[in-house]
Amino acid sequence: MLSDVYVTYKYCKHRMFVFALLMILIWLGSGCVAFGHRYVSWERCSFETHLGYWASGLNEHGEPKPGFKIFVLYLAQIQPVIMAWDGWLHGMTRHLREEKMLAALAEGAPSSLLQLYAMMLEPPQENSVDLFILCGSIAMSILTVAVGINNAYELCVPESRKLEKTKLPPGALLCFRWCDSFSRIGAWALLGMCLRPIGAKLHGVQQPYLPLILAAELLLITAVFKSRSFGLNLAWSQLFKKEYLVSVMACFLGTYWCCNTADLAAQHRLFRSLLALHIMQTLGILWLCAWSFSIAVGSDCLAVEEIGRASCRERV
């Protein structure tokens, strides 16, 4: 979080105000996601469990229903710090872990994509410290995505689908998730660079296509995930169930794991189909990147050639 604040300050210093504004909007969005989860998951304590809490309108932990004050604390990113401190002192509850997981996915993925795209546009050239901080901020944002996906599977997947045997070591699983998420986010950043107009300024909105492409890809993956061909045949409203929502996010941000309630053979078909889609998308982005680079180099060479011709005419 502190590195994100420093990166936003650097964006403002280099007059990249659009990137700084987007970073702030990402913070606010993650706060809204965390508050929404807490508001929806809050339940009044049963009078059989604790009569005093029930009479006061509190939940089983003695907390009132979240209101405007809590909402402001979430927007200011203060409430997550308070909850992290309470979790360190008294242990992490299930709702707290779910909230932390959703906030990590809502903030880490767009933040890392934005920072990686901005670094490709204008890498720090003043000193190596800024470059180190920026790379560290990107790596930590992707790490929060990897941790969020791991926690999502642990929290939201039914117990009958969890593999107790032949389980990967936590470190190896986290490393795999980090590399997997980095490959997806890096491919999107390269796609944004390829779609950016040649000679566009750094201080304006010059990339309207990438968000539309990401939204279309998410919609396609969701439609494939819920289809009858892969064993689920879900309605769109059923996708808001935690188990399915986590699976869709995992399909979008990385490699899908076969862990829902559908037939295992159907899930393997889904895994192979999404993996083929990701591979074709990556190869297409690399081809587009090479083509865009050749066009940019050719345009620069043509410009230099025209300047040379003009100078020769002046001499003549």
Side-chain angles (χ1 to χ4, degrees), residues 254-294:
T255 302
Y256 171 71
W257 279 13
C258 304
C259 61
N260 59 50
T261 55
D263 180 65
L264 189 59
Q267 294 188 68
H268 284 164
R269 290 197 302 270
L270 175 62
F271 166 76
R272 291 192 295 268
S273 301
L274 292 176
L275 186 60
L277 176 64
H278 292 170
I279 292 175
M280 289 189 295
Q281 182 189 42
T282 303
L283 293 177
I285 291 173
L286 293 177
W287 176 84
L288 183 61
C289 183
W291 179 77
S292 301
F293 179 77
S294 64

Side-chain angles (χ1 to χ4, degrees), residues 111-124:
S111 176
S112 58
L113 175 59
L114 179 65
Q115 293 181 60
L116 187 57
Y117 176 70
M119 188 177 70
M120 289 181 178
L121 284 181
E122 190 177 12

Side-chain angles (χ1 to χ4, degrees), residues 93-140:
T93 63
R94 181 181 180 85
H95 288 297
L96 178 58
R97 295 174 67 186
E98 291 180 358
E99 179 181 316
K100 186 177 179 181
M101 172 265 297
L102 290 174
L105 294 177
E107 181 180 359
S111 176
S112 58
L113 175 59
L114 179 65
Q115 293 181 60
L116 187 57
Y117 176 70
M119 188 177 70
M120 289 181 178
L121 284 181
E122 190 177 12
Q125 299 177 355
E126 298 177 357
N127 52 53
S128 58
V129 176
D130 290 340
L131 180 60
F132 177 77
I133 294 177
L134 181 57
C135 293
S137 179
I138 295 172
M140 290 300 297

